[in-house]
Amino acid sequence: MMEIMEGSHAVAEIVKRCRPQVVSAYPITPQTHIVEDLAQMVANCELDAEYITVESEFSALSACLGASAAGSRVYSATTSQGLALMFEVCFNVAGMRQPIVMTIANRSLGAPLSIWNDQQDSISLRDSGWLQFYAEDNQEAADLHMIAYKVCEDHDVLLPAFVCFDGFILSHTYEPVDLPSQEEVDAYLPAFTPYQRLDAEEPLSFGMYATPEYYMEFRYEIDQAMRRAKEAFIRAGREFGEQFGRDYSALVEGYRLDDADTALVAMGSICGTAKDAVDEMRDAGRKVGLLKIRTYRPFPGPEIAEALKGVSTVAVLDKNISLGNGGAVGTEVKSALYGSGAAVYDYIIALGGRDVRKRDIAAVVDLAEKGEGDMFYGLRTEVL
Amino acid sequence: MALRIGCAAPPGRALENKTGAWRVFKPVFDPETCSRCGMCALVCPEGCVHETEEGTFEPDLDYCKGCGICEEVCPKKSIRMEKEEK
């Protein structure tokens, strides 16, 4: 049933219906409403889970790791500095192959301190072995949690996932969301079957020491699992479409890309604004389209190359900056399009909550078509 | 050894890490002068010094890393570290 609700509440409601057995999180803006809602659901006996309160994000994810290794379906949520504090545990969760799902309410990283949105936090965990999915709106944010559990718990994958949705822009915004019922979620997402688990009868340790003779092979296997996650996502996304009518079988999604000369590439909520901007440019007779990246990890390089075939100019919108180089998404899109002949330009945009309007998107397209790019867009040079 | 997902292992698998390969110096025990006090076995950080049937002591060279603490503590100076040629 379609309801108007806050993004954080939609996420909490869908997480509840995914039936996590253990939730551990530490409240941090703008993720707070999600974990407040879940704590209340546990207190009200609406959700049969252990809610472990902790003193930091490091402890939160450590508690999740232990609970997952013990065979539970586990959930957490964080953002920004909280995710930064989890850095070490993130690598351990992926290395121990625990299918934890964690919401990231994307927020910039300090210093300077900022509670506003960009995607620097999750992008900075790019190499940690977590799958990364980005939602355009609150419907997609809710849906991606169900898909994430299905993909992560697939025994061909066994990796954790971030479901990323833009802090405030989505987390605190009220939108119509169609939430499936508990029965419908149960039909899509069966109970968690651990591949292996901690058991006093059959003792097991996870993440043991590996000498140089073995370490590289473990990393190779994680990389292989990450690559298999593409197929698992496509399967889970297709099944989702069959059951709920919203198809997520595509790792990247084109919008008015047919016959486009210039393509924007973006992730997350900015895609909504970009679609409206594309419509206006199309109305003005310009051949512009958008490619939305849904799964940043595994990175859909060949899928991007296929989707952008025939496009001559590409403008990548990066809500992050790999300082000293450029935007992380732009760098990888350039790599994916190497040899295609397309001119690919990268724009660092919307850092620390700077608003992006339709006219900004149009201005980026103008710059790209003039061959000006690989730059910060919208810098206030008067304060520099 | 085939890898197991998540680098998971049942108890005792650490025995497969033959840390003796790290060694440069190996301890040589002289049972003739040994007073059988057992200090060498107590202090060995690897736990690889064992009592023999005769009551003297010997290292398990599969795991001895050659740290030399046994030589340091032996009150009878009956352990000496010898450069090992491989």
Side-chain angles (χ1 to χ4, degrees):
Chain A
M1 189 180 77
M2 195 72 95
E3 283 178 75
I4 307 275
M5 64 174 79
E6 192 199 37
S8 295
H9 187 60
V11 168
E13 281 290 335
I14 205 71
V15 166
K16 178 181 84 176
R17 289 162 213 202
C18 289
R19 299 186 189 274
Q21 293 151 296
V22 175
V23 177
S24 186
Y26 190 81
I28 178 170
T29 303
Q31 151 265 39
T32 321
H33 293 178
I34 303 172
V35 295
E36 280 175 355
D37 275 358
L38 285 166
Q40 197 158 16
M41 290 165 180
V42 172
N44 291 346
C45 301
E46 295 166 34
L47 170 59
D48 183 17
E50 285 290 328
Y51 189 102
I52 306 173
T53 52
V54 285
E55 84 296 351
S56 75
E57 283 86 358
F58 186 93
S59 297
L61 192 55
S62 297
C64 288
L65 173 54
S68 179
S72 307
R73 179 174 288 162
V74 175
Y75 175 78
S76 191
T78 193
T79 179
S80 183
Q81 315 299 128
L83 182 58
L85 190 53
M86 289 177 175
F87 184 96
E88 177 182 344
V89 194
C90 281
F91 278 73
N92 280 332
V93 169
M96 296 186 206
R97 308 288 298 275
Q98 298 303 321
I100 296 172
V101 172
M102 180 155 70
T103 309
I104 309 296
N106 283 113
R107 169 184 146 184
S108 52
L109 275 165
L113 177 64
S114 161
I115 58 165
W116 290 280
N117 165 252
D118 62 34
Q119 295 167 344
Q120 191 71 57
D121 48 2
S122 48
I123 292 282
S124 298
L125 268 291
R126 182 188 70 175
D127 304 332
S128 63
W130 287 60
L131 312 176
Q132 293 197 16
F133 310 144
Y134 287 79
E136 177 184 337
D137 54 29
N138 287 334
Q139 182 70 63
E140 186 171 18
D143 293 345
L144 282 175
H145 283 83
M146 296 165 62
I147 293 171
Y149 275 114
K150 196 150 184 130
V151 174
C152 293
E153 293 172 1
D154 189 321
H155 286 191
D156 277 347
V157 178
L158 295 171
L159 284 173
F162 296 152
V163 178
C164 305
F165 78 142
D166 287 312
F168 292 115
I169 298 173
L170 294 179
S171 67
H172 286 54
T173 299
Y174 281 68
E175 288 183 342
V177 179
D178 185 4
L179 286 183
S181 68
Q182 183 65 64
E183 294 67 36
E184 288 171 321
V185 176
D186 288 344
Y188 177 75
L189 184 67
F192 175 41
T193 313
Y195 174 80
Q196 55 191 0
R197 65 183 187 90
L198 294 175
D199 178 357
E201 299 300 316
E202 283 178 65
L204 207 56
S205 298
F206 288 83
M208 296 302 286
Y209 169 85
T211 53
E213 289 87 347
Y214 294 106
Y215 183 86
M216 263 180 68
E217 284 71 15
F218 276 108
R219 299 296 284 172
Y220 170 80
E221 290 208 330
I222 299 170
D223 183 59
Q224 290 294 303
M226 181 66 96
R227 289 166 192 276
R228 289 194 297 271
K230 273 191 183 183
E231 273 309 311
F233 187 94
I234 292 166
R235 276 198 305 275
R238 186 180 301 125
E239 274 178 52
F240 193 97
E242 285 161 8
Q243 195 180 331
F244 300 105
R246 294 182 294 277
D247 190 283
Y248 290 97
S249 58
L251 310 178
V252 294
E253 219 170 67
Y255 182 75
R256 303 191 77 169
L257 267 183
D258 295 338
D259 83 342
D261 292 329
T262 301
L264 291 150
V265 177
M267 301 196 306
S269 63
I270 199 170
C271 292
T273 313
K275 284 176 181 175
D276 284 347
V278 163
D279 287 345
E280 289 185 0
M281 288 184 273
R282 283 280 181 180
D283 289 345
R286 300 174 65 178
K287 292 183 172 177
V288 181
L290 166 75
L291 185 68
K292 165 172 129 181
I293 298 178
R294 180 176 282 133
T295 62
Y296 180 58
R297 280 292 178 277
F299 190 71
E303 291 80 0
I304 289 171
E306 178 63 31
L308 296 182
K309 235 181 217 168
V311 169
S312 56
T313 307
V314 177
V316 184
L317 304 174
D318 255 308
K319 287 174 118 178
N320 71 85
I321 168 78
S322 177
L323 300 165
N325 187 24
V329 183
T331 305
E332 298 193 29
V333 168
K334 284 177 186 178
S335 158
L337 295 181
Y338 181 74
S340 73
V344 187
Y345 302 106
D346 189 22
Y347 301 87
I348 309 302
I349 196 166
L351 299 189
R354 181 74 53 89
D355 272 340
V356 176
R357 298 150 298 183
K358 284 183 289 184
R359 63 173 177 272
D360 295 313
I361 307 278
V364 164
V365 170
D366 288 341
L367 285 168
E369 290 181 349
K370 277 191 288 180
E372 292 172 30
D374 297 336
M375 58 195 277
F376 279 65
Y377 171 81
L379 275 187
R380 296 179 60 228
T381 48
E382 68 271 23
V383 300
L384 292 173
Chain B
M1 177 183 79
L3 302 190
R4 182 160 171 174
I5 282 181
C7 203
R13 286 295 285 276
L15 289 171
E16 290 182 27
N17 292 321
K18 297 283 173 73
T19 48
W22 303 7
R23 196 172 55 237
V24 178
F25 294 92
K26 75 169 180 186
V28 180
F29 286 57
D30 179 6
E32 298 301 313
T33 55
C34 172
S35 67
R36 307 179 181 194
C37 69
M39 283 289 282
C40 50
L42 278 175
V43 300
C44 176
E46 200 57 28
C48 72
V49 177
H50 306 291
E51 193 173 352
T52 63
E53 278 182 15
E54 290 74 40
T56 59
F57 290 85
E58 65 184 15
D60 183 339
L61 292 176
D62 275 350
Y63 301 103
C64 167
K65 295 170 180 165
C67 69
I69 296 176
C70 52
E71 178 200 38
E72 189 71 25
V73 302
C74 178
K76 301 294 284 182
K77 305 254 174 276
S78 62
I79 302 171
R80 82 196 141 72
M81 300 301 291
E82 235 178 44
K83 181 88 183 274
E84 201 171 11
E85 303 295 338
K86 289 180 183 163

